[in-house]
Structure formats: structure tokens, C-alpha cells
Amino acid sequence: MTTLQISFRSLWTGLLVLLSCLSAAAQSAGGSQCIQGTDSTGQQVCLDPNRRPTLYTQDFGDCQGNSLINVTQFDGAYYSDNMTVTWNLQGETSVYNDSVMIYIGVYAYGETRFELTVNPCNANIFSLCPLNASVPTQASGAIPVAPSDVAGIPPIAYSIPDFEGQAILRIFSNTTESQIACYSAVLTNGATFAHPAAVE
């Protein structure tokens, strides 16, 4: 081999090694992003920020028929990897100056699996404290739960295809002591036996 061939081969090998190192470094940097959380055993864990919730809501509708709050968005999710329930509510109302209580329930196969009652004033949800037509309704939260809080949810619910569950949001007026809104959302784990439509 000539000196030129050896130099070219050395240069080529060096470039391949450099590119391989850069690629590994980029993958390592991209894979190291995480958010810290605590799992059900109390251990600190690194969680992928783009992970899918264990259970989450999909389509929702008015289960009262004449709710005094027009909800335009209702999302809820349960993350079993860090024992957190998140929820988001947006809408509007014609009700003026009423204090309310929020109830969130999770039901599966005809049984209550999880319940949570929230006083918006204690939870710093200012658009519901008090409920007022001049303020758009916006509420959200991330609530840590204990294993005992979700003990009613059987582990099979996290993976069984076509899980039958629902999350129900009820809002009660403290003034009239009656329900003023009810919204129900389909609850899923994302697993299904359904087949996508055939593409022609």
C-alpha cells in the first residue's frame, strides 16, 4: 500500500469512529431527558415526559342534559408510574356568583373505582371560586394519589383490550345544594381489539 492509501484509510476510519461517537452522544443526550417521580413503592423514578397515561379519557358528553356549565374540554388521566391523576376542564357558564364543589369519579364495569371531591377555593382554581359568567371556566390539576386511593382499580384494567370505564365530572352548587353540571367521558387504556379500516 502506498502512503496515500494508508492516509486515506486512516482518515476514513477516523471519520467513522468520530461519527459513531457523535451519534452515540446524541442518542444518550436525547434519551437522558426525564422528569422525576415517585412510584407506588415510594422509589424515585425517571419518567419519560412523552409517556402515555395508564388510563385516560376520550370522548365526553353532558350526562345531565341541561348542565349550567358548557364544558368544551374535559380531559383526565391516571399515571400509575408516578401515582398521579391529572385533569383539565374548560368551558363557560351563565351562572353568576355561585360557590361550587367538584366531584370526579371513575367507574369500571358498573363499580366505583376512584372518587375525588375538590373545593375549587381550597385548590386555588380561581375561575370556579366563585363560579361567574364573566370569567371563562378553566380548571386543571395534578393530584398525587396513594396506593389505597386507586386500590379499587384492578391491575388488569391497565392492559385489557376495550376496557369499559368512564370518568364522570359533577359540579354542585353550594347555594342550591344541587348538581348544576355533569359530564361523562369514556375511559380507556389505549388497548383495543378493533381493526383499522382496510386501505384500498
Side-chain angles (χ1 to χ4, degrees):
M1 276 193 208
T2 67
T3 307
L4 183 58
Q5 288 176 325
I6 293 173
S7 295
F8 181 72
R9 181 176 280 170
S10 297
L11 178 64
W12 182 248
T13 304
L15 278 173
L16 287 176
V17 169
L18 178 63
L19 288 174
S20 148
C21 289
L22 289 174
S23 175
Q27 287 177 352
S28 173
S32 66
Q33 294 180 357
C34 70
I35 54 175
Q36 292 297 315
T38 305
D39 67 12
S40 61
T41 64
Q43 299 294 315
Q44 288 291 314
V45 291
C46 180
L47 305 168
D48 180 355
N50 298 317
R51 71 198 192 282
R52 185 171 71 181
T54 308
L55 298 172
Y56 55 95
T57 58
Q58 289 184 320
D59 297 334
F60 71 94
D62 187 335
C63 53
Q64 181 170 306
N66 60 350
S67 291
L68 298 179
I69 299 173
N70 177 29
V71 171
T72 56
Q73 183 175 355
F74 171 41
D75 302 311
Y78 167 59
Y79 293 89
S80 63
D81 56 4
N82 71 339
M83 304 296 293
T84 304
V85 172
T86 63
W87 58 284
N88 180 40
L89 167 71
Q90 294 185 25
E92 58 191 18
T93 184
S94 58
V95 174
Y96 285 93
N97 200 25
D98 195 359
S99 65
V100 297
M101 293 294 286
I102 299 171
Y103 167 85
I104 299 171
V106 173
Y107 303 88
Y109 301 108
E111 293 186 27
T112 303
R113 303 297 181 163
F114 174 79
E115 295 178 292
L116 176 68
T117 302
V118 178
N119 179 335
C121 297
N122 293 345
N124 296 325
I125 303 172
F126 301 113
S127 70
L128 294 174
C129 182
L131 182 63
N132 194 321
S134 65
V135 178
T137 303
Q138 297 178 339
S140 62
I143 303 160
V145 294
S148 60
D149 295 331
V150 292
I153 302 174
I156 194 168
Y158 305 153
S159 59
I160 189 170
D162 300 316
F163 170 70
E164 292 182 24
Q166 64 179 338
I168 296 183
L169 167 74
R170 299 179 193 277
I171 300 177
F172 294 90
S173 164
N174 287 335
T175 304
T176 63
E177 297 182 358
S178 63
Q179 179 176 292
I180 60 172
C182 178
Y183 285 87
S184 175
V186 173
L187 193 62
T188 184
N189 59 21
T192 182
F193 282 126
H195 294 280
V199 178
E200 293 182 27

